[in-house]
Amino acid sequence: MRPKVFITRQLPQPALDLILPECETEMWTDELPPPRAVLMDKVRDVDGLLCLLTDKIDAPLMDNAPRLKVISNCAVGYDNIDVAAATERGIAVGNTPGVLTETTADFAFALLLAAARRVVEAERYTRAGKWKTWGLTVLLGQDVFGATLGLVGLGRIGTAVAKRARGFEMRVLYYDPQRRPEVETQLGITYADLDTVVRQADFLSIHTPLTETTRHLVNADLLRKMKKTAILVNTARGAVVDQVALYTALREGWIAGAALDVTDPEPIPLDDPLLTLDNCIITPHIASASVATRTKMAVMAAHNLLAGVRGEPLPNPVNVVRGERVP
Ligand code: GLV
């Protein structure tokens, strides 16, 4: 009998071309994620689940899926999945690291430049008919070239952002729980404790996974330590930033601006006060959204799914399991 899989959103064709010949497949094709009750129902008799970061995959859901062998997340981050619960139940979890690194770093830099030079605000200014003349003090921003970039997290994406910063002759400071001397030498960047990075950064870019340690890492206390001219960039996870504190910081001028590709919750409610601020750019979690990268992510997720339903080790595992479903 062919393994049965549920896919929580329409996948690019190259990924489906891998899955369909091997699996009895059901795919949720709505634009919005399957509601919780639907997901609970769909996993009842599946061997594999391919999901997105918008799907909450927790212990009760796993307990409703007695045959489930693999949860393949089409994302590098997997804070939407209770990995410990999956491991306890012998369910393999996979993600899509590597293929989205450069695309995400490009976007982090796009946000950094856009916030520094007030690109979004300037475009709105033009369309609103406010462009009357060339003025010496119109829409002044912050220089990127030669500025100090503070990176919180030096994993793949943080490192890729540091590489881009070299082209702008930025001084790069980073904080990561794990020091990376070889990257320091290779890219000419400097390790410092979090406090120093935060205090010295002209741009502070977040590249950490969301964990209980990093939740609200960027809080009022941290924001108060930043330079008044500094800009915060977040392409990691929304909940790493305390958005209430960020609103106060932006409104009261503790920092100059922020650019967020991720919010908590997502989508950001339209009445969120952050959306009233000119010095805050908010994009809809699109840092990895290039045609090529999204296809690579889906293909990688398909390979994880197929390995999981075959009972083979996943090409990109998040957890270590015995390889058989615990009853
Ligand atoms: C996107 O945020 C991802 O984790 O891949």
Side-chain angles (χ1 to χ4, degrees):
M1 214 172 60
R2 297 199 309 161
K4 201 166 168 187
V5 299
F6 184 63
I7 303 175
T8 66
R9 220 70 55 78
Q10 178 80 46
L11 290 186
Q13 197 58 41
L16 287 177
D17 289 344
L18 291 168
I19 298 169
L20 294 178
E22 210 175 307
C23 302
E24 192 186 319
T25 306
E26 187 175 0
M27 183 164 70
W28 184 257
T29 51
D30 285 13
E31 187 194 353
L32 297 183
R36 172 79 177 174
V38 172
L39 193 54
M40 281 296 253
D41 183 52
K42 297 290 181 193
V43 296
R44 253 176 232 286
D45 59 348
V46 297
D47 304 284
L49 175 67
L50 195 157
C51 54
L52 305 195
L53 53 84
T54 43
D55 304 310
K56 189 174 165 61
I57 312 297
D58 54 12
L61 190 121
M62 295 173 206
D63 287 337
N64 222 33
R67 277 171 49 183
L68 190 62
K69 287 197 200 131
V70 56
I71 300 164
S72 172
N73 213 32
C74 190
V76 66
Y78 46 84
D79 48 281
N80 57 311
I81 301 172
D82 185 340
V83 177
T87 308
E88 269 169 34
R89 290 160 178 77
I91 304 172
V93 179
N95 69 340
T96 64
V99 289
L100 49 70
T101 301
E102 303 300 340
T103 305
T104 305
D106 281 351
F107 197 75
F109 229 86
L111 285 182
L112 186 155
L113 285 164
R117 300 301 306 277
R118 301 170 64 181
V119 173
V120 176
E121 201 183 334
E123 208 270 348
R124 282 199 291 254
Y125 177 95
T126 305
R127 284 179 195 245
K130 293 185 185 166
W131 183 8
K132 306 281 189 232
T133 182
W134 187 91
L136 269 177
T137 55
V138 172
L139 288 161
L140 304 183
Q142 309 292 331
D143 277 319
V144 174
F145 187 87
T148 297
L149 172 65
L151 297 171
V152 179
L154 194 75
R156 296 180 201 84
I157 298 169
T159 305
V161 171
K163 281 188 194 151
R164 284 154 178 76
R166 291 209 306 184
F168 286 79
E169 295 189 21
M170 297 179 92
R171 169 179 171 242
V172 181
L173 299 178
Y174 80 95
Y175 168 75
D176 190 288
Q178 202 178 332
R179 198 167 162 176
R180 309 264 311 274
E182 72 297 346
V183 183
E184 288 171 34
T185 316
Q186 196 191 343
L187 298 182
I189 68 175
T190 306
Y191 172 84
D193 57 42
L194 182 61
D195 199 72
T196 306
V197 172
V198 167
R199 286 182 193 278
Q200 295 194 9
D202 296 309
F203 299 91
L204 190 71
S205 192
I206 310 299
H207 302 286
T208 114
L210 175 63
T211 64
E212 279 324 303
T213 318
T214 62
R215 186 176 295 276
H216 285 197
L217 179 76
V218 179
N219 56 17
D221 193 40
L222 183 146
L223 289 161
R224 277 192 189 279
K225 290 178 188 163
M226 290 175 71
K227 293 183 183 175
K228 283 197 179 346
T229 49
I231 285 167
L232 173 74
V233 178
N234 188 9
T235 50
R237 284 292 181 269
V240 176
V241 175
D242 174 350
Q243 281 173 200
V244 176
L246 178 62
Y247 173 72
T248 310
L250 289 169
R251 215 185 111 100
E252 295 186 358
W254 306 356
I255 66 173
L260 314 173
D261 185 48
V262 286
T263 60
D264 180 28
E266 291 183 0
I268 189 166
L270 279 179
D271 61 356
D272 191 294
L274 281 174
L275 290 170
T276 64
L277 299 174
D278 275 335
N279 57 349
C280 188
I281 297 172
I282 302 184
T283 51
H285 203 151
I286 55 166
S288 67
S290 76
V291 177
T293 291
R294 285 290 166 83
T295 301
K296 286 182 201 160
M297 290 166 67
V299 165
M300 207 166 186
H303 283 301
N304 279 333
L305 180 79
L306 291 175
V309 295
R310 290 179 198 139
E312 294 169 3
L314 308 197
N316 287 284
V318 164
N319 61 351
V320 179
V321 289
R322 287 184 304 132
E324 62 199 65
R325 180 75 158 95
V326 176

